[in-house]
Amino acid sequence: MSHRNLLSASALGLSLLLAGTAQGAGIKLLNASYDPTRELYQDINGAFAKSWKAKTGQDLTIQQSHGGSGKQARSVIDGLEADVVTLALAYDIDAVANSGLIAKNWQTRLPNNSTPYTSTIVFLVRKGNPKKIRDWDDLTRPGVSVITPNPKTSGGARWNYLAAWGYALRKFNNDPAKAKDFVGRIYKNVPILDTGARGSTVTFVERGIGDVLIAWENEAVFAVKGEMGAKGDFQIVAPSISVLAEPPVAVVDKVAAKHKTVQVATAYLQFLYTPEGQEIAARHYYRPRNEAVAAKYAAQFPKVQLFTVDQVFGGWTKAQQAHFADGGVFDQIYGAGR
Amino acid sequence: MKNVSIWLCCALLALPAAVRAQDTQAQPPAEAAEAQEPAQDAAETPQSVDQKLEELDQKIRVLDRKIEIDKEAAAEKAKTAGQAVAGKDGFSLRSADGNFTFRLRGYAQFDGRYWVDDEQRPQTETFLLRRVRPIFEGTVYKIFDFRIMPDFGQGQTVLFDAYLEARFNPAFRVRAGKFKPPVGLERLQSATDILFVERALPTNLVPNRDLGVQISGDLAGGAVNYAVGVFNGVADLGNGDADVNNDKDLAARVFFQPFVAGNGPLKNLGFGVGTSQGDQTGTLTATGLPGYRTPGQQTFFSYRSDATAAGTTIADGTRFRLAPQGYFYRGPFGLLAEYTINRQDVRRDQISERLEHKSWQAAGSWVIAGGEPSFRGVTTKKVWDPAAHTYGAFELAARYSELKLDDATFPFFANPASAARSAKSMAVGLNWYFNRNLRLLFDYETTRFEGGAATGDREDEKIFFSRFQIAF
């Protein structure tokens, strides 16, 4: 066989190779999200896939991965090829951005600092509120068992912690020592730290441990509606003050570019801001950004005085370094309380 | 009397209280206070027990949950942690998702060769390490397999396999590197699984290892296997690392196992044909032509070569191989057969000729105890364990093979005084499989030649083989 024939054979081989690689091509997205968003994104994914099909004619499969927000960020950094991240807090997406997978300006690419919905932190107590939990002070009482996840691994847990800290600062006129003591007394009442918010809900609801669960508002409603146990076994108590939780979203640029899914991934996140996406969020007890949808669902959200992390802590980076970094305030109070 | 009884009962009931009152009065105030506590405790007992039970219940639930969380964490860690495994298939490392693996395998064959009646051509009876081959295999990014296999046997270091294969799907795999071209059946059988210590005569007419690119796959659920590739084009029996000319060989094989999916009597029936074709032009220093070997690995045929154009036969034109082949295994019995035609255009000085050499073999086996044969070796039903009175598997084997060289080869292209016109071999063997990893082979093989000596025929080759093989 001459080299001309060899070239022909090579070209044939290459064609077959390309044909082989082309087999099974389809649009797939992986959304790496935090713990309690499973049900929300099941509905979002179905609605968006339908919308995308209608718009482009393409079939779309969206896969979900859930876990503690910090843990999910770590997984993406370590190689989980998620096209988008929908995490519990901006700090975790910043961590992914710092690894180079997401552009540093990610928060400016979508409205509302890339936070399509908000939530807050409330208390879930057992039916009849036997321990008479009404506000954050009640969580410091001896004999009250408090369930909350580990702020080292869970974004929701960090919101819980900061909500308590914000309340304490206001109560003690911004005295950090007293706030530390206050939050320390709450964590002294925590018998177990799960790695994620859903794990804590399981601990409280399914395993029957504790008197009060500090929870995402939507997660608390999830439990009250009987999704994880008998309906009517629990009730929600809204504290006087809580934090405005802003779970952000972002396209993982490098992964989406590699998968050639930038367009669909961006459209997926933009869908969250549409009236349809906002309706779905509200139905899952996330507070919508869209004013019309927010007004429609206003009755289902208790009126709570909310503060932001920027207002009280100067942003997530500062809050993270002061409270959740190794040797930070959380380590001091939780280690001391054990 | 009735009144007396009533008063007596009242007195008995009042007695403990009176005694307690007296004790209290006799005690100092502090002790009295302590003494009053049991009475208070007694009053609080129902609530206290409930509380304690509740506390204990919570503690147990917390402990249970902590164990549960620890188990979840361990399971999660196991998902992301790699695995190191040691077993009968070798040693391996595997990433948690299975997309990356590395396996260390290998085999070694320790042979003995004992010659009989070798007066005219005295041979040295010897032990030798016929093959010592570590195998480094693995997978990267889920579909890309690699294999590197050097051989350190017989005091030499030779690279046998080094290739990368992409498994796009079962029907479409692409392999590039150095490996066995898809032609001869027994050549394609692993050296750890061949029935006798040495392969039969037809293997002389097909390539050993070559560099190239091959597409292969299984179709119809494995009923059809195909392979087609472009190779440098080594000579028969050749193991090349680079080409000596610009021409390439095209090799292909199709093999059918029509009943492989079922469990019927023909499940292990396989047949097919391998072929290769290419233009090859040799030189005085690299003639492109082979020598052929006896089972005892002695050269019984070679072309003329004296480093001059007038006295050296070289490849000059088309080389074509065709190798119909098949096997059948049923119960303890096995049969393997192949027929190989090799057409080679040769030239010596200004005279060219197309030579056609032919060879065939038929080999039968019978596992008399403890196992079941297949193309991939004997599976031992009970491994060697004297304490349990199990001794592995025993197999008897017999084989006949022939190689007939084209009459036109002699005397111009090969010297009939040193190159035999044909060889006919008969072999019998006993194989003992201790387990999947160890086996002993004992063979006796005799080969008769036509020509190949200054006068008459070359002396018969009679040889006993032994082999101890470890493979993992």
Side-chain angles (χ1 to χ4, degrees), chain A residues 62-268:
Chain A
I62 306 170
Q63 295 173 319
Q64 300 174 218
S65 167
H66 295 272
S69 182
K71 205 168 130 200
Q72 290 293 83
R74 189 72 250 165
S75 296
V76 173
I77 293 166
D78 288 344
L80 176 67
E81 294 201 352
D83 303 274
V84 299
V85 285
T86 55
L87 298 180
L89 43 95
Y91 182 82
D92 290 333
I93 297 186
D94 278 340
V96 181
N98 288 337
S99 75
L101 292 171
I102 299 175
K104 290 282 173 76
N105 69 340
W106 66 270
Q107 216 159 2
T108 64
R109 297 191 299 198
L110 288 168
N112 304 109
N113 287 330
S114 293
T115 308
Y117 44 79
T118 66
S119 188
T120 189
I121 300 304
V122 298
F123 304 147
L124 186 70
V125 298
R126 301 196 185 280
K127 185 181 177 184
N129 195 0
K131 291 290 173 89
K132 299 188 172 33
I133 308 293
R134 294 186 184 84
D135 212 340
W136 293 100
D137 300 280
D138 297 314
L139 273 52
T140 67
R141 289 197 327 246
V144 172
S145 177
V146 180
I147 302 301
T148 180
N150 188 345
K152 294 281 193 179
T153 54
S154 163
R158 274 173 270 179
W159 288 113
N160 295 353
Y161 173 101
L162 294 181
W165 193 277
Y167 172 85
L169 283 179
R170 186 161 300 197
K171 178 181 172 79
F172 299 112
N173 295 319
N174 291 320
D175 183 336
K178 287 184 177 172
K180 183 178 175 183
D181 174 66
F182 181 87
V183 176
R185 279 188 281 139
I186 292 178
Y187 276 90
K188 202 172 178 180
N189 287 344
V190 177
I192 192 166
L193 287 175
D194 286 274
T195 55
R198 181 54 58 89
S200 280
T201 309
V202 168
T203 296
F204 184 76
V205 173
E206 293 186 358
R207 303 296 180 266
I209 298 170
D211 301 309
V212 54
L213 171 72
I214 312 177
W216 290 95
E217 183 174 51
N218 55 286
E219 186 75 348
V221 174
F222 186 70
V224 167
K225 286 171 69 183
E227 299 289 345
M228 299 180 71
K231 194 173 179 180
D233 282 353
F234 310 99
Q235 63 188 72
I236 292 172
V237 173
S240 59
I241 297 171
S242 193
V243 67
L244 178 67
E246 298 173 298
V249 300
V251 173
V252 184
D253 299 308
K254 286 205 171 165
V255 174
K258 179 183 169 187
H259 293 173
K260 297 184 171 54
T261 54
V262 172
Q263 189 188 359
V264 63
T266 305
Y268 176 61

Side-chain angles (χ1 to χ4, degrees), chain B residues 180-217:
Chain B
K180 294 176 180 176
V183 185
L185 179 63
E186 198 179 18
R187 172 57 70 192
L188 290 170
Q189 191 173 34
S190 170
T192 58
D193 299 331
I194 53 177
L195 193 56
F196 291 86
V197 168
E198 296 294 346
R199 290 183 171 94
L201 293 168
T203 296
N204 276 300
L205 301 187
V206 297
N208 185 346
R209 297 297 200 287
D210 204 352
L211 284 114
V213 180
Q214 173 183 285
I215 296 165
S216 67

Side-chain angles (χ1 to χ4, degrees), chain A residues 1-3 6 9 12-13 16-17 20-21 23 71 145 191-194 199-200 202-203 207-210, chain B residues 54 57-58 61-63 65-66 68-69 72 76 166 168-169 172 174 215 230 246-250 277-279:
Chain A
M1 194 161 89
S2 69
H3 32 307
L6 174 62
L12 174 68
L16 289 169
L17 183 74
T21 52
Q23 280 189 1
K71 205 168 130 200
S145 177
I192 192 166
L193 287 175
D194 286 274
S200 280
V202 168
T203 296
R207 303 296 180 266
I209 298 170
Chain B
E54 178 66 23
D57 178 63
Q58 282 288 303
R61 285 171 187 259
V62 167
L63 287 172
R65 180 62 175 153
K66 281 182 175 173
E68 191 179 6
I69 289 171
E72 286 172 3
E76 191 66 26
F168 294 105
N169 60 53
F172 186 73
V174 180
I215 296 165
V230 180
N246 289 329
D247 296 316
K248 300 289 172 275
D249 275 11
L250 188 65
Q277 179 159 349
D279 290 336

Side-chain angles (χ1 to χ4, degrees), chain B residues 257-277:
Chain B
Q257 294 176 276
F259 309 104
V260 71
N263 282 313
L266 300 178
K267 178 180 175 63
N268 293 316
L269 170 69
F271 55 89
V273 61
T275 184
S276 75
Q277 179 159 349

Side-chain angles (χ1 to χ4, degrees), chain A residues 270-283:
Chain A
Q270 286 169 341
F271 179 78
L272 297 170
Y273 291 87
T274 63
E276 186 182 1
Q278 292 281 289
E279 281 267 353
I280 294 170
R283 284 204 298 272

